[in-house]
Amino acid sequence: MDTTIEQAVGILRRNQLKITKQRQALIDYLVTYKDHYVAISEVDEHMRTLFPGMSHNTIYRNVKEFETLGLLELKAQANQTLVKYQCDFKHQHHHHFICSNCGKVQELDACPLDAFEAQLPGCTITGHRIEFYGLCADCTAKLGASKSLSK
Amino acid sequence: MDTTIEQAVGILRRNQLKITKQRQALIDYLVTYKDHYVAISEVDEHMRTLFPGMSHNTIYRNVKEFETLGLLELKAQANQTLVKYQCDFKHQHHHHFICSNCGKVQELDACPLDAFEAQLPGCTITGHRIEFYGLCADCTAKLGASKSLSK
DNA sequence: CAGCTAAATCATAATCATTACTATTTAGTT
DNA sequence: AACTAAATAGTAATGATTATGATTTAGCTG
């Protein structure tokens, strides 16, 4: 068995969650999304081909449970929620570069938190999200686009 | 009339959009959300008390049109889209600190774009979002919370 | 390994934000 | 005042997500 999967199953176990065949299959599937986001609704669809008649509720509930365990990252989008597998369970800061063409997600290090903290005296910073959008190197090599508006 | 509103109306005009009473009222309402986000569905509800029977379609369409004109900022949330008025039409970079208690939005300057660019050779960066979450100074003075998980 | 029980899943339907569609109205122009 | 493209109204559909209550099962326990 893949070490990544064993790790995930271990986390379930340590949190007293039962290892059902549905959860096992869900992990097996989500593990393939380490550097892309998938819509939960697509996960739902996939799971229901593996387990015809599987309840939507079960799928959505598990995805959210997995997120609170740190197994997944969720990301809100218009009308949809996206999921991505979280392979590095210990790494807390996640700054992403997301290719708007192919959807590939690249991790960035270097966190400029300090520079911003100084601007927020008296505040409690509990989290932050930094995301860049554009075209990854591969896609930059092939594409282009434009638009204009008067203001 | 408020200068901010005149400015917005001017932008509509310059883009050949008609100044309907519905759009006028929509702007009047959204102008009150310069430092908070509101759910579009709440805007929808409000507009339909002002104009009973107003079409959902009209409200959602206008909000999206206003966004492409740069009048508004949209932000996806689980199952909802949030709107905030964009008062500074020329300012492009928007890094926010969002109080998770009262929802107040504070603008941050200082953009660490350069630091990240170096990590993405060959990529085209077309946009980015930086958001901090936590408690603003006022809320920090009153609150606290915690949670734990084993990994 | 049979039985037990809380946890998980199923099956079905409801919610609710958002979008579609077509007929009617209106802002801005001529 | 008439004209026309743009905007809105009115009605219904869509589709992601959630609720609910009955049934099943993973992981003990003896």
Side-chain angles (χ1 to χ4, degrees), chain A residues 14-15 68-70 76-78 89 95 97 106 108-110 112-113 116 119-137 140 149-151, chain B residues 14-15 68-70 76-78 89 95 97 106 108-110 112-113 116 119-137 140 149-151:
Chain A
R14 257 165 277 140
N15 282 276
T68 71
L69 295 178
Q77 208 195 37
F89 304 128
H95 308 318
F97 176 73
Q106 294 175 57
L108 301 173
D109 39 67
L113 183 59
F116 288 108
Q119 297 180 59
L120 300 165
C123 298
T124 306
I125 299 178
T126 58
H128 59 286
R129 174 190 289 276
I130 300 187
E131 285 174 354
F132 289 89
Y133 309 99
L135 301 172
C136 68
T140 292
L149 285 170
S150 67
K151 286 200 180 164
Chain B
R14 256 164 278 140
N15 283 277
T68 71
L69 296 178
Q77 209 195 36
F89 303 128
H95 308 316
F97 175 73
Q106 296 176 57
L108 302 174
D109 39 67
L113 183 56
F116 287 107
Q119 297 179 60
L120 300 164
C123 296
T124 306
I125 299 177
T126 59
H128 59 285
R129 173 189 289 276
I130 300 187
E131 285 175 356
F132 290 89
Y133 309 98
L135 301 172
C136 68
T140 291
L149 284 171
S150 67
K151 286 200 181 165

Side-chain angles (χ1 to χ4, degrees), chain A residues 61-78:
Chain A
R61 183 173 24 74
N62 278 321
V63 165
K64 286 178 182 168
E65 247 157 4
F66 287 5
E67 194 219 5
T68 71
L69 295 178
L71 252 58
L72 306 175
E73 283 182 38
L74 296 186
K75 183 171 140 62
Q77 208 195 37

Side-chain angles (χ1 to χ4, degrees), chain B:
Chain B
M1 185 191 275
D2 186 341
T3 297
T4 308
I5 294 177
E6 283 174 358
Q7 253 188 303
V9 171
I11 289 175
L12 291 200
R13 218 167 248 131
R14 256 164 278 140
N15 283 277
Q16 284 82 49
L17 295 189
K18 295 180 176 172
I19 315 298
T20 64
K21 61 182 185 303
Q22 292 89 339
R23 278 176 175 161
Q24 183 74 60
L26 184 57
I27 291 171
D28 290 351
Y29 178 61
L30 289 173
V31 151
T32 66
Y33 288 92
K34 286 183 177 172
D35 65 358
H36 275 75
Y37 280 92
V38 215
I40 295 192
S41 52
E42 196 176 317
V43 175
D44 181 65
E45 202 173 351
H46 175 78
M47 291 303 290
R48 286 163 63 90
T49 62
L50 291 185
F51 300 89
M54 183 172 182
S55 195
H56 297 294
N57 187 301
T58 300
I59 297 156
Y60 281 85
R61 184 172 23 75
N62 278 323
V63 166
K64 285 178 184 170
E65 248 155 2
F66 287 5
E67 192 219 6
T68 71
L69 296 178
L71 252 60
L72 306 175
E73 281 181 41
L74 296 185
K75 184 170 138 65
Q77 209 195 36
N79 288 339
Q80 289 246 124
T81 301
L82 307 180
V83 208
K84 187 177 87 61
Y85 197 77
Q86 168 56 287
C87 34
D88 179 0
F89 303 128
K90 289 172 189 153
H91 185 206
Q92 290 294 3
H93 285 151
H94 289 285
H95 308 316
H96 292 154
F97 175 73
I98 303 168
C99 179
S100 51
N101 187 59
C102 70
K104 182 175 176 184
V105 178
Q106 296 176 57
E107 291 252 342
L108 302 174
D109 39 67
C111 170
L113 183 56
D114 297 345
F116 287 107
E117 263 175 344
Q119 297 179 60
L120 300 164
C123 296
T124 306
I125 299 177
T126 59
H128 59 285
R129 173 189 289 276
I130 300 187
E131 285 175 356
F132 290 89
Y133 309 98
L135 301 172
C136 68
D138 291 347
C139 295
T140 291
K142 335 174 184 161
L143 297 170
S146 64
K147 208 191 295 189
S148 73
L149 284 171
S150 67
K151 286 200 181 165

